[in-house]
Amino acid sequence: ILPGTLRLNASLFTYTFENIQVGQIKVGPTGQPTSLTVNAGEAERWGAEVELQWSPMDNLLLALNYGHIDGDFDEYPELCGTGAFATFCIDTSDIALRSSSPEDQVSLIGDWVFATTDWADFIAHVEVFWQEETGTSALWTNNYAAGAGNTYPVIYDPIMLKDRVVANARLGIENVELGTGSLRASLWVRNLADEEYNSYGINFGGLGVITSQYGEPRTYGMGLTWVF
């Protein structure tokens, strides 16, 4: 039997969207991207969330959170050409991505008051976040000009955000009485392992260029707060 206090919360959920509207990126022949809101028809999603908190002693708290979400589009608009290519259509129902969140993600958090004195508390905080690969947009498309007002449809490869593990840490001192208030200070670092990951991207299609925006590298600093 685990010592201390143990708390477990869990939930299951499911929902169905009809006439759902989603964001989509369309890239023109010159590589100019356009953000669209389209009616994606119908989509179903289901998932589960689990939260576990364990406090083996009064000054230590450990927490684990896990989330899973699954499901795709049951219906998504066809992508068709124009003019002479008006009857050339691509069924996108099995191609469009539900990119609102990663299917699986986990967080681990620890809070430890490792020393307590008459004048201050000394605290360590560590958090680790993981998420798996996920998309940035439901669909990346184009209608290439074929002359005389005719265009034919093209679907570009999706921009995927790589799976990542990001750790943050903070070492602080709190409850220091100062004048009419209390002082707290901390040293912190974000992205402790200097994980390199893309946080967004654009497939410029006709230009043959794929660009990416990346998350912050390892960042550190100091914080000072006086509460009165």
Side-chain angles (χ1 to χ4, degrees):
I1 299 175
L2 290 175
T5 301
L6 184 67
R7 176 182 296 173
L8 174 64
N9 297 314
S11 64
L12 293 172
F13 58 87
T14 181
Y15 49 87
T16 300
F17 286 109
E18 295 183 356
N19 299 318
I20 183 175
Q21 293 182 324
V22 298
Q24 180 178 319
I25 303 297
K26 184 175 183 178
V27 183
T30 61
Q32 179 66 37
T34 303
S35 177
L36 307 174
T37 299
V38 299
N39 189 329
E42 184 174 316
E44 293 183 355
R45 298 287 266 174
W46 69 270
E49 294 180 350
V50 177
E51 178 186 23
L52 179 66
Q53 292 183 345
W54 179 39
S55 181
M57 56 187 72
D58 290 341
N59 58 356
L60 178 62
L61 176 65
L62 303 174
L64 167 67
N65 295 278
Y66 168 71
H68 174 79
I69 188 167
D70 200 358
D72 294 308
F73 292 106
D74 295 326
E75 299 177 10
Y76 202 89
E78 290 184 322
L79 179 64
C80 299
T82 61
F85 297 96
T87 59
F88 181 74
C89 297
I90 302 175
D91 183 359
T92 62
S93 296
D94 295 328
I95 301 175
L97 300 176
R98 289 301 311 271
S99 56
S100 58
S101 61
E103 286 191 358
D104 293 286
Q105 50 189 332
V106 176
S107 67
L108 296 169
I109 300 173
D111 278 306
W112 180 30
V113 183
F114 60 89
T116 299
T117 69
D118 293 337
W119 59 276
D121 296 327
F122 296 85
I123 298 173
H125 174 86
V126 177
E127 53 191 28
V128 181
F129 301 99
W130 169 82
Q131 70 175 55
E132 72 170 357
E133 184 181 67
T134 186
T136 59
S137 179
L139 207 60
W140 294 80
T141 68
N142 187 13
N143 280 78
Y144 271 115
N150 303 316
T151 65
Y152 63 92
V154 175
I155 295 178
Y156 296 130
D157 291 336
I159 303 296
M160 303 301 295
L161 305 182
K162 64 173 289 187
D163 63 316
R164 71 198 65 168
V165 177
V166 178
N168 306 318
R170 177 170 53 87
L171 186 64
I173 181 173
E174 296 185 355
N175 299 322
V176 179
E177 293 186 5
L178 182 64
T180 59
S182 63
L183 185 72
R184 61 173 180 260
S186 64
L187 298 174
W188 54 264
V189 57
R190 302 191 186 103
N191 195 0
L192 182 63
D194 202 20
E195 175 85 356
E196 184 177 283
Y197 62 93
N198 56 334
S199 57
Y200 191 68
I202 296 178
N203 186 336
F204 280 94
L207 297 180
V209 177
I210 297 177
T211 64
S212 290
Q213 176 179 318
Y214 283 79
E216 290 186 359
R218 182 189 297 118
T219 307
Y220 49 88
M222 176 179 177
L224 185 64
T225 305
W226 181 42
V227 181
F228 58 92

Short mmCIF file of all heavy atoms in Angstrom, two decimals, residues 104-131:
data_model
loop_
_atom_site.label_atom_id
_atom_site.label_comp_id
_atom_site.label_asym_id
_atom_site.label_seq_id
_atom_site.Cartn_x
_atom_site.Cartn_y
_atom_site.Cartn_z
N ASP A 104 -2.11 11.66 -28.16
CA ASP A 104 -1.65 11.28 -26.82
C ASP A 104 -0.72 12.35 -26.27
O ASP A 104 0.15 12.86 -27.00
CB ASP A 104 -0.91 9.93 -26.86
CG ASP A 104 -1.83 8.79 -27.20
OD1 ASP A 104 -2.61 8.39 -26.32
OD2 ASP A 104 -1.77 8.29 -28.35
N GLN A 105 -0.91 12.66 -25.00
CA GLN A 105 -0.01 13.60 -24.33
C GLN A 105 0.04 13.27 -22.84
O GLN A 105 -0.94 12.81 -22.25
CB GLN A 105 -0.44 15.05 -24.55
CG GLN A 105 -1.88 15.35 -24.28
CD GLN A 105 -2.24 16.75 -24.73
OE1 GLN A 105 -1.42 17.66 -24.78
NE2 GLN A 105 -3.50 16.96 -25.07
N VAL A 106 1.21 13.50 -22.26
CA VAL A 106 1.46 13.15 -20.86
C VAL A 106 2.21 14.30 -20.19
O VAL A 106 3.07 14.94 -20.81
CB VAL A 106 2.31 11.86 -20.74
CG1 VAL A 106 2.64 11.56 -19.29
CG2 VAL A 106 1.58 10.67 -21.37
N SER A 107 1.88 14.56 -18.95
CA SER A 107 2.65 15.53 -18.15
C SER A 107 2.97 14.93 -16.79
O SER A 107 2.15 14.22 -16.19
CB SER A 107 1.87 16.84 -17.98
OG SER A 107 0.71 16.66 -17.20
N LEU A 108 4.18 15.19 -16.32
CA LEU A 108 4.63 14.78 -14.99
C LEU A 108 5.05 16.04 -14.24
O LEU A 108 5.83 16.84 -14.76
CB LEU A 108 5.81 13.82 -15.09
CG LEU A 108 5.55 12.47 -15.76
CD1 LEU A 108 6.87 11.75 -16.01
CD2 LEU A 108 4.64 11.61 -14.90
N ILE A 109 4.55 16.22 -13.03
CA ILE A 109 4.83 17.43 -12.25
C ILE A 109 5.23 17.04 -10.83
O ILE A 109 4.60 16.16 -10.23
CB ILE A 109 3.61 18.37 -12.22
CG1 ILE A 109 3.23 18.80 -13.64
CG2 ILE A 109 3.88 19.60 -11.36
CD1 ILE A 109 1.96 19.59 -13.73
N GLY A 110 6.26 17.68 -10.32
CA GLY A 110 6.68 17.45 -8.94
C GLY A 110 6.90 18.77 -8.22
O GLY A 110 7.54 19.67 -8.75
N ASP A 111 6.33 18.88 -7.01
CA ASP A 111 6.52 20.04 -6.13
C ASP A 111 7.08 19.55 -4.80
O ASP A 111 6.46 18.70 -4.15
CB ASP A 111 5.20 20.79 -5.90
CG ASP A 111 4.87 21.73 -7.04
OD1 ASP A 111 5.71 22.57 -7.38
OD2 ASP A 111 3.75 21.61 -7.60
N TRP A 112 8.22 20.11 -4.41
CA TRP A 112 8.88 19.63 -3.19
C TRP A 112 9.36 20.82 -2.36
O TRP A 112 10.15 21.64 -2.82
CB TRP A 112 10.08 18.75 -3.57
CG TRP A 112 10.85 18.20 -2.42
CD1 TRP A 112 10.38 17.88 -1.18
CD2 TRP A 112 12.25 17.90 -2.41
NE1 TRP A 112 11.38 17.40 -0.38
CE2 TRP A 112 12.55 17.38 -1.12
CE3 TRP A 112 13.27 17.99 -3.36
CZ2 TRP A 112 13.83 17.00 -0.76
CZ3 TRP A 112 14.55 17.59 -3.00
CH2 TRP A 112 14.82 17.09 -1.71
N VAL A 113 8.84 20.92 -1.15
CA VAL A 113 9.34 21.90 -0.18
C VAL A 113 10.46 21.18 0.59
O VAL A 113 10.20 20.46 1.55
CB VAL A 113 8.24 22.38 0.78
CG1 VAL A 113 8.78 23.44 1.73
CG2 VAL A 113 7.05 22.93 0.00
N PHE A 114 11.70 21.37 0.12
CA PHE A 114 12.79 20.55 0.65
C PHE A 114 13.42 21.12 1.92
O PHE A 114 14.23 20.44 2.57
CB PHE A 114 13.87 20.34 -0.42
CG PHE A 114 14.51 21.59 -0.94
CD1 PHE A 114 15.62 22.12 -0.31
CD2 PHE A 114 14.01 22.22 -2.07
CE1 PHE A 114 16.22 23.27 -0.79
CE2 PHE A 114 14.61 23.37 -2.56
CZ PHE A 114 15.72 23.91 -1.92
N ALA A 115 13.06 22.34 2.28
CA ALA A 115 13.57 22.91 3.53
C ALA A 115 12.61 23.99 4.02
O ALA A 115 12.12 24.80 3.24
CB ALA A 115 14.97 23.48 3.34
N THR A 116 12.36 23.98 5.33
CA THR A 116 11.50 24.98 5.96
C THR A 116 12.22 25.56 7.17
O THR A 116 12.70 24.80 8.03
CB THR A 116 10.16 24.37 6.39
OG1 THR A 116 9.48 23.85 5.25
CG2 THR A 116 9.27 25.41 7.06
N THR A 117 12.30 26.88 7.22
CA THR A 117 12.94 27.55 8.35
C THR A 117 11.96 28.53 8.96
O THR A 117 10.83 28.70 8.49
CB THR A 117 14.21 28.30 7.89
OG1 THR A 117 13.84 29.41 7.07
CG2 THR A 117 15.14 27.38 7.11
N ASP A 118 12.39 29.21 10.00
CA ASP A 118 11.54 30.20 10.65
C ASP A 118 11.29 31.41 9.76
O ASP A 118 10.34 32.16 9.97
CB ASP A 118 12.19 30.67 11.97
CG ASP A 118 12.24 29.57 13.01
OD1 ASP A 118 11.42 28.63 12.89
OD2 ASP A 118 13.10 29.64 13.91
N TRP A 119 12.16 31.61 8.74
CA TRP A 119 12.04 32.83 7.94
C TRP A 119 11.73 32.58 6.46
O TRP A 119 11.40 33.51 5.73
CB TRP A 119 13.32 33.64 8.05
CG TRP A 119 14.56 32.89 7.59
CD1 TRP A 119 15.30 32.02 8.31
CD2 TRP A 119 15.16 32.96 6.29
NE1 TRP A 119 16.34 31.53 7.56
CE2 TRP A 119 16.28 32.10 6.31
CE3 TRP A 119 14.88 33.68 5.14
CZ2 TRP A 119 17.12 31.92 5.22
CZ3 TRP A 119 15.70 33.51 4.04
CH2 TRP A 119 16.80 32.64 4.08
N ALA A 120 11.76 31.29 6.00
CA ALA A 120 11.50 31.05 4.58
C ALA A 120 11.25 29.57 4.32
O ALA A 120 11.63 28.70 5.11
CB ALA A 120 12.66 31.54 3.72
N ASP A 121 10.62 29.30 3.17
CA ASP A 121 10.46 27.94 2.64
C ASP A 121 11.24 27.84 1.33
O ASP A 121 11.20 28.75 0.50
CB ASP A 121 8.98 27.62 2.36
CG ASP A 121 8.14 27.62 3.61
OD1 ASP A 121 8.66 27.24 4.67
OD2 ASP A 121 6.96 28.01 3.52
N PHE A 122 11.94 26.72 1.15
CA PHE A 122 12.74 26.49 -0.05
C PHE A 122 12.05 25.41 -0.89
O PHE A 122 11.77 24.32 -0.38
CB PHE A 122 14.16 26.09 0.32
CG PHE A 122 14.92 27.17 1.05
CD1 PHE A 122 14.79 27.31 2.43
CD2 PHE A 122 15.73 28.05 0.35
CE1 PHE A 122 15.47 28.31 3.10
CE2 PHE A 122 16.41 29.05 1.01
CZ PHE A 122 16.29 29.19 2.39
N ILE A 123 11.80 25.74 -2.16
CA ILE A 123 10.92 24.91 -2.99
C ILE A 123 11.59 24.55 -4.31
O ILE A 123 12.27 25.38 -4.93
CB ILE A 123 9.60 25.66 -3.28
CG1 ILE A 123 8.85 25.94 -1.96
CG2 ILE A 123 8.71 24.89 -4.23
CD1 ILE A 123 7.63 26.82 -2.13
N ALA A 124 11.39 23.30 -4.73
CA ALA A 124 11.83 22.85 -6.05
C ALA A 124 10.60 22.39 -6.84
O ALA A 124 9.73 21.71 -6.31
CB ALA A 124 12.84 21.71 -5.93
N HIS A 125 10.53 22.80 -8.09
CA HIS A 125 9.40 22.45 -8.96
C HIS A 125 9.96 21.94 -10.29
O HIS A 125 10.80 22.59 -10.92
CB HIS A 125 8.51 23.66 -9.20
CG HIS A 125 7.41 23.42 -10.19
ND1 HIS A 125 6.19 22.88 -9.84
CD2 HIS A 125 7.35 23.62 -11.54
CE1 HIS A 125 5.42 22.77 -10.91
NE2 HIS A 125 6.10 23.22 -11.96
N VAL A 126 9.49 20.78 -10.73
CA VAL A 126 9.92 20.19 -12.00
C VAL A 126 8.68 19.74 -12.76
O VAL A 126 7.75 19.17 -12.17
CB VAL A 126 10.86 18.98 -11.78
CG1 VAL A 126 11.24 18.35 -13.12
CG2 VAL A 126 12.12 19.40 -11.04
N GLU A 127 8.65 20.00 -14.07
CA GLU A 127 7.55 19.55 -14.89
C GLU A 127 8.08 19.06 -16.24
O GLU A 127 8.99 19.66 -16.81
CB GLU A 127 6.52 20.67 -15.10
CG GLU A 127 7.10 21.97 -15.61
CD GLU A 127 6.12 23.13 -15.56
OE1 GLU A 127 5.23 23.13 -14.70
OE2 GLU A 127 6.27 24.05 -16.40
N VAL A 128 7.52 17.96 -16.70
CA VAL A 128 7.93 17.36 -17.97
C VAL A 128 6.67 17.13 -18.81
O VAL A 128 5.70 16.51 -18.33
CB VAL A 128 8.67 16.03 -17.75
CG1 VAL A 128 9.10 15.44 -19.10
CG2 VAL A 128 9.88 16.22 -16.85
N PHE A 129 6.68 17.61 -20.05
CA PHE A 129 5.54 17.47 -20.93
C PHE A 129 5.95 16.68 -22.18
O PHE A 129 7.00 16.96 -22.77
CB PHE A 129 5.00 18.84 -21.37
CG PHE A 129 4.57 19.71 -20.23
CD1 PHE A 129 5.41 20.70 -19.75
CD2 PHE A 129 3.33 19.54 -19.63
CE1 PHE A 129 5.02 21.51 -18.69
CE2 PHE A 129 2.94 20.34 -18.56
CZ PHE A 129 3.78 21.33 -18.10
N TRP A 130 5.11 15.74 -22.58
CA TRP A 130 5.34 14.99 -23.82
C TRP A 130 4.05 14.99 -24.64
O TRP A 130 2.95 14.89 -24.10
CB TRP A 130 5.72 13.54 -23.54
CG TRP A 130 5.70 12.70 -24.79
CD1 TRP A 130 6.67 12.60 -25.73
CD2 TRP A 130 4.62 11.86 -25.24
NE1 TRP A 130 6.29 11.74 -26.75
CE2 TRP A 130 5.04 11.27 -26.47
CE3 TRP A 130 3.36 11.54 -24.73
CZ2 TRP A 130 4.22 10.40 -27.18
CZ3 TRP A 130 2.55 10.67 -25.46
CH2 TRP A 130 2.98 10.11 -26.66
N GLN A 131 4.20 15.14 -25.95
CA GLN A 131 3.07 14.98 -26.84
C GLN A 131 3.57 14.34 -28.13
O GLN A 131 4.72 14.52 -28.54
CB GLN A 131 2.38 16.30 -27.14
CG GLN A 131 3.15 17.27 -28.02
CD GLN A 131 2.35 18.50 -28.37
OE1 GLN A 131 1.85 19.20 -27.49
NE2 GLN A 131 2.24 18.79 -29.66
#
